[in-house]
Amino acid sequence: MTARLEFPETFLWGGATAANQIEGAYDEGGKGLSTSDLARYRPDVVNGADNFTFEVTGAELDAADAGELEGIFAKRWGIDFYHRYREDIALFAEMGFTTFRMSIAWPRIYPTGLEDEPNEEGLAFYDRVFDELLAHGIQPVVTMSHYEMPLELTRRFNGWLSRECIAPFEKFARTVLTRYRDKVRYWLTFNELNMNLTSVYTGAGVLMDRTDRPVREVAYQATHHQFLASALAVKAAREILPAGAVIGAMINRIEVYPATPKPADVLQAMREDQTNFFYPDVAVRGRYPGYALRYFHDAGLNIEFAETDQQILADGTVDYIGISYYMSHLTEDRPGAQDETGLLVGALKNPHLTLTQWGWPVDPVGLRISLNRLWDRYQVPIFVVENGLGAEEAPGPDGIIHDQYRIDYLREHLIQIGEAIRDGVDVMGYTAWGPIDLISCGTSQMSKRYGFIHVDQDNYGQGTLRRSRKDSFGWYRDVIASRGASLAGD
Ligand code: BG6
């Protein structure tokens, strides 16, 4: 029998989203084009396996500029949160959310990133959203940049590959911190700083056919510039935000296991883990770890640092770490294994774990291990800002989605968070990914559903957009109402 779970009274409960996956209205309210507006749903390559379709080339950008890029741009319409946020927030409140993670679409505030003055219509939109949340007793957790940036910065500078993006980001950060200082207490700079290893376009707006540099070097160079921008945003937050407000960095945490106790396998697992720890190492400690410098040297990666950079990093260390957690990864010592680091799905199958419909290994215990390891390493609070199960689903004959599989998935992960808290880890809260069905980041599918709330829309943007409660809706409401105690009885 599971022991009664003790989630602290201050524990934040809610759900997490990103502007480009929910808002839609991509060309309304003075918004400029975003890098995510070029991401396409590709029925030819999406087949239920883990096919990512979010890389974009310079040739595609040119075609888009000429009005000749065809496709299904699902992130342009999202789930119409831009117009329906009141209804959606009311549903979150019905579940008892005390927090809601969302992001600000940078090009709503600075359409090209380069304007001197922000777009008031964009700022006013987020005022309305924050006011609505606060009126329901829901604290916003705001990610400044979640997989998008003004497309113009990609066109002009090739995104974060260039230092030229740092100043526009700092300006944007200062604008939103100042405007919302009395409404938002929880901030994150970038979503999943480690994404650049998987997609330099999604993570950093870089077009690989517009540079001669190798992809690994591009990924780490872009990351270096994001580290600096993040640190400058943290410094700005310290100047602007009132006492009690906090700002963190966020990573996609993937727990890495060695396939055997062979020391070479354990070493390999450690090295792959370092490619994940690298990001919080820099963001929390304010300096590059030795293993990263050695890796750059051994791999022949020429990462450009300016003299002032070390001081910027040291002055901008974060208050907490946000993690998304979806899976663990199994590895072994073999030629080429190092090149696979950063992939979302490992090459080795862990025989002890089941897979989701998209091939993601389900490993709740890995979350407890991750939380403990992050806490041991940094001793700063950790916020689980994403975790969830993507599944294809349709309403039953009674019109309701009976998603017991999602309840099982979330319950097991929450139980492990409870265990980590009992282990002594300072966990700030939990926001389930996609509390309402939204557009998939990786595949731009609508049919990869995560929500407690179903949205009637297909992969092509067809549907009534009607919202309806799944079985997990009432289940999560009970978990929140009982502060986790109901998890033991399910
Ligand atoms: C996280 C991202 O890595 O994974 C989200 O921060 C994303 O934006 C989530 O949606 C789930 O991935 P996907 O590809 O299933 O949408």
Side-chain angles (χ1 to χ4, degrees):
M1 195 186 129
T2 317
R4 188 184 164 82
L5 289 166
E6 296 293 343
F7 284 82
E9 262 178 55
T10 51
F11 192 84
L12 294 162
W13 297 92
T17 60
N20 74 91
Q21 294 172 256
I22 59 168
E23 283 181 7
Y26 81 104
D27 59 355
E28 288 181 45
K31 175 179 166 292
L33 272 184
S34 162
T35 46
S36 57
D37 291 327
L38 294 197
R40 285 178 290 175
Y41 165 52
R42 298 271 310 276
D44 51 331
V45 292
V46 174
N47 58 9
D50 199 37
N51 286 318
F52 290 98
T53 56
F54 46 8
E55 246 353 75
V56 171
T57 63
E60 287 170 317
L61 174 57
D62 289 346
D65 284 343
E68 289 162 4
L69 187 67
E70 293 188 355
I72 303 150
F73 300 98
K75 290 176 184 168
R76 294 186 184 182
W77 55 70
I79 55 162
D80 199 32
F81 180 81
Y82 188 79
H83 297 110
R84 293 164 195 258
Y85 67 91
R86 284 200 175 86
E87 181 191 348
D88 294 344
I89 291 170
L91 286 164
F92 301 151
E94 195 182 318
M95 277 186 278
F97 281 22
T98 54
T99 193
F100 177 60
R101 177 176 175 232
M102 53 181 277
S103 69
I104 293 177
W106 181 358
R108 270 197 202 287
I109 310 301
Y110 288 99
T112 67
L114 299 169
E115 294 80 1
D116 290 332
E117 295 301 323
N119 169 34
E120 176 55 33
E121 232 183 311
L123 287 169
F125 167 66
Y126 293 107
D127 266 323
R128 292 196 295 277
V129 174
F130 297 145
D131 289 344
E132 192 71 17
L133 288 166
L134 294 170
H136 285 92
I138 301 174
Q139 292 289 333
V141 176
V142 172
T143 317
M144 291 176 174
S145 178
H146 189 131
Y147 292 165
E148 70 180 327
M149 61 194 291
L151 189 60
E152 185 63 17
L153 298 179
T154 287
R155 227 182 248 123
R156 273 209 209 187
F157 307 125
N158 208 2
W160 285 102
L161 186 53
S162 165
R163 288 183 85 90
E164 299 284 347
C165 286
I166 297 174
F169 182 84
E170 190 186 355
K171 176 181 59 182
F172 162 63
R174 285 184 175 272
T175 300
V176 294
L177 288 163
T178 305
R179 175 78 170 219
Y180 307 123
R181 68 186 292 280
D182 297 323
K183 297 184 181 179
V184 180
R185 290 173 50 195
Y186 302 95
W187 293 87
L188 288 162
T189 56
F190 290 90
N191 184 60
E192 295 183 348
L193 275 162
N194 49 327
M195 180 55 167
N196 296 343
L197 289 171
T198 305
S199 167
V200 284
Y201 181 79
T202 302
V206 179
L207 307 163
M208 273 312 294
D209 56 348
R210 295 272 158 90
T211 173
D212 295 332
R213 299 173 71 179
V215 67
R216 290 262 131 187
E217 190 174 291
V218 168
Y220 282 107
Q221 185 70 68
T223 300
H224 180 61
H225 296 146
Q226 290 179 330
F227 277 146
L228 295 170
S230 178
L232 288 166
V234 171
K235 196 166 174 239
R238 298 260 151 73
E239 290 164 29
I240 296 167
L241 296 181
V246 285
I247 183 160
M250 194 246 173
I251 58 157
N252 173 227
R253 176 66 195 155
I254 298 177
E255 195 54 43
V256 185
Y257 303 135
T260 76
K262 193 168 84 181
D265 286 346
V266 178
L267 182 66
Q268 178 61 26
M270 183 195 82
R271 294 178 69 198
E272 293 194 27
D273 226 4
Q274 286 173 335
T275 68
N276 194 267
F277 279 135
F278 167 60
Y279 302 87
D281 276 358
V282 177
V284 179
R285 295 171 170 162
R287 60 179 186 277
Y288 271 65
Y291 64 78
L293 300 175
R294 176 184 176 170
Y295 168 67
F296 297 158
H297 176 268
D298 291 356
L301 305 187
N302 179 25
I303 311 300
E304 293 158 10
F305 292 77
E307 251 178 52
T308 47
D309 291 358
Q310 179 46 54
Q311 197 55 49
I312 294 173
L313 296 177
D315 290 345
T317 57
V318 292
D319 300 317
Y320 73 99
I321 303 167
I323 64 164
S324 58
Y325 177 85
Y326 293 92
M327 67 185 79
S328 59
H329 173 99
L330 188 67
T331 194
E332 65 182 347
D333 177 46
R334 74 192 134 86
Q338 185 67 25
D339 293 341
E340 288 164 15
T341 58
L343 292 185
L344 282 175
V345 176
L348 292 183
K349 187 171 166 1
N350 188 330
H352 305 287
L353 303 179
T354 57
L355 304 179
T356 71
Q357 287 170 8
W358 272 261
W360 293 14
V362 178
D363 183 6
V365 174
L367 177 53
R368 176 179 176 185
I369 298 169
S370 275
L371 289 169
N372 271 276
R373 295 184 68 210
L374 287 162
W375 174 248
D376 287 349
R377 197 167 173 119
Y378 305 113
Q379 300 281 299
V380 298
I382 306 160
F383 200 155
V384 181
V385 293
E386 279 187 42
N387 170 242
L389 176 70
E392 259 176 358
E393 51 196 7
D398 57 359
I400 295 172
I401 290 180
H402 301 291
D403 54 345
Q404 186 60 40
Y405 41 88
R406 177 167 296 106
I407 292 172
D408 294 342
Y409 178 101
L410 296 173
R411 184 187 59 226
E412 292 307 315
H413 285 81
L414 279 166
I415 286 172
Q416 294 304 322
I417 293 174
E419 295 294 342
I421 292 171
R422 292 172 68 200
D423 292 335
V425 181
D426 184 352
V427 187
M428 295 163 65
Y430 178 82
T431 53
W433 176 251
I436 181 166
D437 292 347
L438 39 64
I439 307 296
S440 157
C441 165
T443 64
S444 287
Q445 287 170 293
M446 185 69 211
S447 52
K448 190 176 185 186
R449 297 176 181 275
Y450 284 86
F452 304 113
I453 302 163
H454 177 260
V455 176
D456 177 29
Q457 178 173 248
D458 68 14
N459 287 331
Y460 303 88
Q462 302 301 308
T464 62
L465 287 169
R466 188 174 160 266
R467 275 65 168 150
S468 55
R469 297 163 187 78
K470 305 180 191 177
D471 283 354
S472 55
F473 184 99
W475 170 83
Y476 196 44
R477 185 192 53 213
D478 293 346
V479 171
I480 297 174
S482 67
R483 276 204 284 122
S486 66
L487 292 165
D490 282 346

